[in-house]
Amino acid sequence: MKEKYPFGEIEAKWQDYWEEQGLFHTDATSAEDKYYCLMMFPYPSGTLHVGHGRNYIIGDAVARYKKMRGLRVLTPMGWDAFGLPAENAAIKSGTHPRESTLQNIALMKAQLRSWGCCYDWEREVTSCLPDYYKWTQWLFLKFYERGLAYKKEAAVNWDPVDQTVLANEQVLPDGTADRSGAVVEKKMLSQWFFKITDYAQRLLDDLEQLDGWPERVKSMQENWIGRSEGARLNFTLVPREDGVADTSDVVPCFTTRVDTIYGCTYMVLAPEYPGIAEMVQGLPEEKSVMDFVQQAGRLSSIERTTEGDKNGVFTGRYVVNPYNGEQIPLWVGDYVLLEYGTGAVMAVPAHDTRDWAFAKKYKLPIRLSIQNPDQTLNVDEMEDAYVDDGIVVDSPPFSGMPNREAIPKMAAYAEEKGFGGPVIQYRLRDWLISRQRYWGAPIPIIYCDDCGMVPVPESDLPVLLPEDVEFKPSGESPLKSCAAFTQVDCPQCGKPARRESDTMDTFVDSSWYFFRYLSARDDTKAIDTELCDNWLPVDQYIGGIEHAILHLMYARFFTKAIHDLGLIHFEEPFKQLFTQGMITKRSEKDGQLYKMSKSKGNVVSPEELIREYGADTVRLYTLFIGPPEKEAEWNDAGVEGAFRFLRRLWRRVYEHRDLLRDAKTLQPDLQHMQQPERDLYRKLHESIRRITRDLEGDFHFNTAIAQIMELMNAADDIKVNNNSSDQVRAVFRETMETIVVLISPFAPHIAEELWQELGRAPSILQTEWPRVNEAALHRAQMEIVLQVNGKLRGRIMVGAEADQAAIEQEALADPQVQKWIEGKTVRKVIVVPGRLVNIAVS
RNA sequence: GCCCGGGUGGCGGAAUGGCAGACGCAAGGGACUUAAAAUCCCUCGCCCGUAAGGGCGUGCGGGUUCGACUCCCGCCCCGGGCACCA
């Protein structure tokens, strides 16, 4: 055994060993005691920094721990390999995305290996390879058959930098693209969507089952789905005086405040509302309306949706309020959004702040229909809308009701009379999945002049990406101009037709990869029903919080849709979700804390650290840095601390190597222990209990490691040498061996090496996790804290069997306590056995 | 505005309603050494005190309790999500 901790040497040795032995190669035919431990598969960007590393290190520690607990652990890994960065690089450098992606995968695989992270590589999936995307395309076809995939013309988000459309989820609240940072534009385009809105209610309801998910993530999804209950009301358009007929004479609107309908004094349409042009054609207002519509269309989505000045124009038309038959003016206003509800709003200025502002600006009438029961309102004296609850007034036959009670009654009334009824509205929009880019899975659709839109027959899958294409900086997808790709015969009629040249959003690829791991090499079907039913839902999913909405919502949607296809029989993919916090580092430039990124120049490269300290040190520090779900600041000095600890552990074993090996058969025996080894033995078993509890709960690696350090400190304090008693040596041996086992999920290389040095057979992964010896926890004497009026005044030792009365007596007799209760009246004495005595005096 | 988190030493952070600050980092002092590194020992919330000891202390203000970082009520601040969403 070497005196100095030879981390480089042993790490290479054990990485080879784990690989050769295939310790994480899991036979999935039996799912008994299964534990599916999944980490979000990475985009192969090239190299991972220590911030990325946290994810894999946490996952590896969990997998190793669960394996030692005797579970059948499945931990696969793969690559979310389609995506824009590779294609953008290709435009600049000319290297084909496939080539650069596969290169990056090789690099990152080596990185993961160098951290000691073990996976079942035989299940590796790579989403950009045909054996994977064939099945992504197949799922698309299944969705298409069921009407879940459809094409429509819509105002969509256009990223002018990446030259493609984006899903709503990929646009940040400030209106910029989450990937490129470009200001997103609105464009009317014909695009492919997945009908995720059909699943809005199920996605919302099933959040309740997800006890193992962080509250934060569930609340984010809830907000994103944005359910609101209200009513849909049809207003009829008053016919034109000139006798010109309207295409539609109904203007529906959505409201959550049907109780205020009698206060409605006008109606407002979104500028994009279909049919506005016909509605005003030939009227004196036509020009002003059309000018306004054009002007509003020029505004960016941010300008449009930022609260502020509200502009509008009268259309010259009127609609009828179905409740009271009143004719009210119809306006167009830029604060009304086409995408939400029906694109039309019934305006109640007295009870809505936005309508109030608009009515004031354009001098529209304001009428009260909810009265404040505490302070009578008068429209002329009001300074803003009254939006709180109250009593319905001037609304026959609903007057006098509390407004909350009136809402369902008034909605039901609309249904009765046939002009509307209660509805539920969601904020969630359908998922836009087509992208005008090359490096993605081609959408398997063919356009034929005669047959229209024709799905590619399943037997023709995959629709392969052509290899020989030119990457032009024009931003246009090379697929579009690749005749060999687009020109195709119609599968129905055989005439020349044209292929869809858009590819799918990469979030489609990542929405089902966790099913594919179960049958990664199966070229007969996408999903193995039996294996998935046995192994899923995933027992533990680990990844970054940045996917709280995007990936995690899409994957839930896919699971439900695939369930409805009958391919699986569960509806939620991830039982437990753990979202680790980001690693930040102070920028040397401005001293601010940032998430690690190349652009901020605050990236810590693991390679350098591994060279200097070894992978175990990086792992130990990463896990010790703080509670894993929280953000943590990387501190180079802290790495040094982790290294010192491992070096100390190595040295302790080295110093006592002969003694430890010789004591291999000595067993601790409580009957024959003296005080020092008895105390260490108790500490050992207390540590096992605490560490196990920390790992079983929410992965509190930081406190688990702290406990190992404490135990090590205690082991250092006991005097042990070859002349020590059998019990001292037995307890010391068991302590050192247990420390090695306990630390093995965190620092596996040193653990394997020391385990072997201690004369044990590898692999330590096949060792059982230590059990607590309850008898060891027992104390003959207990320290009792003495308080007077809740303040610490002393401490006494009492026998473990001492009864409350005896403890109380001893406490009161204590000289320290005497000093504080002298001359005062003891009102009450609380005795908490095994802990403390509190004496209340006055 | 609504919905989630969070606020504890110089720092990262610990604490089933029961000794606040475990563990680590940094800092200071000492030992070993020709020296350095490494290692080992001691101190380390703030204030008064040589010390023994005492007072204060977990964002702020109340409350419940023998006892509150922990529970309840009302605020302040920080982070995140949603938001002209009708």
Side-chain angles (χ1 to χ4, degrees), chain A residues 426-690:
Chain A
Y426 300 92
R427 206 193 71 95
L428 182 70
R429 302 267 72 87
D430 275 340
W431 172 16
L432 199 177
I433 58 132
S434 43
R435 297 289 180 273
Q436 290 68 53
R437 300 295 302 232
Y438 167 78
W439 195 229
I443 293 174
I445 291 287
I446 291 166
Y447 300 100
C448 169
D449 289 340
D450 293 348
C451 311
M453 214 144 64
V454 182
V456 172
E458 278 180 38
S459 55
D460 290 354
L461 294 181
V463 175
L464 287 171
L465 272 177
E467 291 285 319
D468 188 22
V469 293
E470 206 187 327
F471 294 95
K472 290 171 287 195
S474 68
E476 186 170 271
S477 166
L479 285 184
K480 212 166 181 179
S481 50
C482 178
F485 177 79
T486 56
Q487 287 174 11
V488 64
D489 291 339
C490 170
Q492 263 174 34
C493 67
K495 284 189 203 148
R498 182 175 51 82
R499 255 188 219 292
E500 170 64 77
S501 62
D502 282 359
T503 54
M504 287 185 246
D505 181 2
T506 55
F507 280 106
V508 176
D509 311 326
S510 57
S511 291
W512 71 283
Y513 75 103
F514 40 91
F515 299 123
R516 188 63 184 168
Y517 279 141
L518 271 308
S519 56
R521 304 288 164 261
D522 185 345
D523 57 8
T524 64
K525 54 187 174 303
I527 287 170
D528 188 310
T529 303
E530 199 190 332
L531 286 175
C532 285
D533 281 349
N534 288 341
W535 279 86
L536 278 96
V538 167
D539 295 275
Q540 184 65 58
Y541 198 21
I542 302 170
I545 186 76
E546 66 274 17
H547 291 111
I549 294 174
L550 287 153
H551 163 61
L552 289 169
M553 177 94 83
Y554 296 148
R556 293 183 63 221
F557 159 63
F558 254 65
T559 302
K560 290 180 195 307
I562 291 171
H563 165 269
D564 293 353
L565 290 171
L567 294 175
I568 53 172
H569 300 93
F570 50 92
E571 294 203 44
E572 282 295 336
F574 315 122
K575 199 159 38 181
Q576 301 272 337
L577 171 69
F578 187 86
T579 51
Q580 88 275 1
M582 286 184 320
I583 298 266
T584 59
K585 191 166 195 307
R586 227 160 265 289
S587 151
E588 299 203 349
K589 278 176 260 172
D590 61 7
Q592 297 287 98
L593 268 187
Y594 294 107
K595 174 186 176 178
M596 273 189 192
S597 75
K598 272 185 208 152
S599 58
K600 291 279 182 258
N602 61 346
V603 170
V604 176
S605 139
E607 280 69 34
E608 215 174 294
L609 288 174
I610 288 175
R611 222 175 300 123
E612 205 172 335
Y613 302 105
D616 281 337
T617 292
V618 175
R619 291 174 62 118
L620 194 70
Y621 174 65
T622 302
L623 295 169
F624 187 63
I625 194 168
E629 70 280 7
K630 284 209 207 143
E631 262 185 32
E633 184 187 340
W634 188 270
N635 175 358
D636 293 325
V639 179
E640 190 80 41
F643 181 61
R644 274 207 287 263
F645 179 72
L646 291 179
R647 196 165 49 186
R648 185 151 70 100
L649 173 61
W650 179 272
R651 199 168 42 239
R652 264 330 147 258
V653 173
Y654 174 80
E655 286 163 359
H656 299 290
R657 59 194 183 281
D658 295 332
L659 183 151
L660 287 165
R661 268 188 228 130
D662 292 347
K664 208 170 142 185
T665 52
L666 288 180
Q667 290 305 316
D669 178 359
L670 282 165
Q671 303 305 313
H672 299 101
M673 286 184 198
Q674 301 291 309
Q675 201 59 52
E677 65 267 26
R678 178 69 188 81
D679 288 341
L680 178 60
Y681 193 59
R682 183 186 309 105
K683 179 90 184 170
L684 168 63
H685 285 273
E686 276 170 359
S687 298
I688 296 171
R689 196 186 52 184
R690 281 199 50 179

Side-chain angles (χ1 to χ4, degrees), chain A residues 286-388:
Chain A
E286 181 178 3
K287 188 173 163 15
S288 58
V289 170
M290 294 322 287
D291 283 353
F292 177 80
V293 167
Q294 269 201 350
Q295 211 185 337
R298 271 200 295 273
L299 292 176
S300 72
S301 59
I302 335 159
E303 288 167 308
R304 269 295 300 283
T305 54
T306 307
E307 204 167 337
D309 203 24
K310 293 159 185 53
N311 305 299
V313 61
F314 177 51
T315 59
R317 303 293 304 268
Y318 293 83
V319 290
V320 179
N321 179 339
Y323 281 82
N324 57 11
E326 192 184 356
Q327 295 197 358
I328 52 171
L330 182 64
W331 284 61
V332 176
D334 62 1
Y335 72 103
V336 180
L337 308 173
L338 181 71
E339 308 93 76
Y340 190 76
T342 63
V345 172
M346 59 173 238
V348 185
H351 305 296
D352 182 287
T353 51
R354 294 152 306 178
D355 297 340
W356 175 277
F358 194 79
K360 281 284 172 194
K361 179 166 176 180
Y362 294 105
K363 305 211 161 39
L364 288 156
I366 297 173
R367 191 192 303 152
L368 205 69
S369 64
I370 304 290
Q371 186 53 261
N372 181 351
D374 302 326
Q375 193 187 6
T376 304
L377 298 165
N378 182 328
V379 170
D380 304 324
E381 288 159 12
M382 282 166 70
E383 280 177 9
D384 201 349
Y386 177 74
V387 297
D388 296 331

Side-chain angles (χ1 to χ4, degrees), chain A residues 210-317:
Chain A
L210 300 177
D211 300 328
W213 280 42
E215 208 45 57
R216 185 158 69 124
V217 175
K218 289 193 279 186
S219 127
M220 279 161 82
Q221 294 212 352
E222 210 177 305
N223 280 332
W224 189 260
I225 295 167
R227 177 190 156 111
S228 72
E229 289 177 28
R232 194 183 169 100
L233 305 174
N234 294 324
F235 285 58
T236 45
L237 201 56
V238 176
R240 293 166 62 143
E241 282 173 12
D242 58 14
V244 177
D246 287 298
T247 11
S248 164
D249 62 353
V250 178
V251 183
C253 75
F254 173 76
T255 180
T256 53
R257 291 295 306 272
V258 63
D259 54 317
T260 65
I261 183 76
Y262 289 82
C264 172
T265 52
Y266 61 101
M267 185 176 225
V268 195
L269 301 177
E272 303 85 357
Y273 194 87
I276 287 184
E278 293 85 70
M279 245 182 243
V280 298
Q281 198 168 26
L283 297 183
E285 287 85 0
E286 181 178 3
K287 188 173 163 15
S288 58
V289 170
M290 294 322 287
D291 283 353
F292 177 80
V293 167
Q294 269 201 350
Q295 211 185 337
R298 271 200 295 273
L299 292 176
S300 72
S301 59
I302 335 159
E303 288 167 308
R304 269 295 300 283
T305 54
T306 307
E307 204 167 337
D309 203 24
K310 293 159 185 53
N311 305 299
V313 61
F314 177 51
T315 59
R317 303 293 304 268

Side-chain angles (χ1 to χ4, degrees), chain A residues 145-162:
Chain A
E145 277 169 24
R146 300 204 125 217
L148 280 179
Y150 68 98
K151 199 175 188 187
K152 76 165 177 198
E153 169 110 1
V156 298
N157 307 302
W158 175 259
D159 181 332
V161 171
D162 277 338

